Amino acid sequence: GKPVPYVNIKITKEKEAITAEQKRALIAGVTKLLGDTLKRDASRTVVVIEEVSTDDYGFGGESITELRSKQGK
């Protein structure tokens, strides 16, 4: 059979949490995009949303927490 589309969305945990409604919209939107673009069956599409601590997410050799601290955010 056809491969099952698997999408992993990773976002940083912020002060304002992402709501269940926003997560539902992301899942529905990505599923629709794969269906429209790649003609994939929505019932076989897997979407996972992971919220990652800014301490555990790095860019350019530094954590997001460190980078934001330097920027005064």
Side-chain angles (χ1 to χ4, degrees), residues 1-62:
K2 291 183 181 178
V4 175
Y6 177 93
V7 178
N8 188 326
I9 300 171
K10 293 187 182 212
I11 53 176
T12 55
K13 288 183 184 178
E14 302 295 336
K15 290 176 187 169
E16 290 186 27
I18 294 176
T19 66
E21 182 177 319
Q22 289 170 316
K23 289 178 183 180
R24 282 192 297 274
L26 281 170
I27 291 167
V30 167
T31 300
K32 182 176 182 331
L33 179 64
L34 285 172
D36 293 348
T37 306
L38 302 177
K39 307 302 182 219
R40 298 294 190 210
D41 181 357
S43 69
R44 296 181 45 84
T45 299
V46 176
V47 179
V48 177
I49 300 171
E50 290 184 73
E51 293 183 75
V52 181
S53 165
T54 57
D55 289 335
D56 299 331
Y57 206 124
F59 181 78
E62 297 182 275

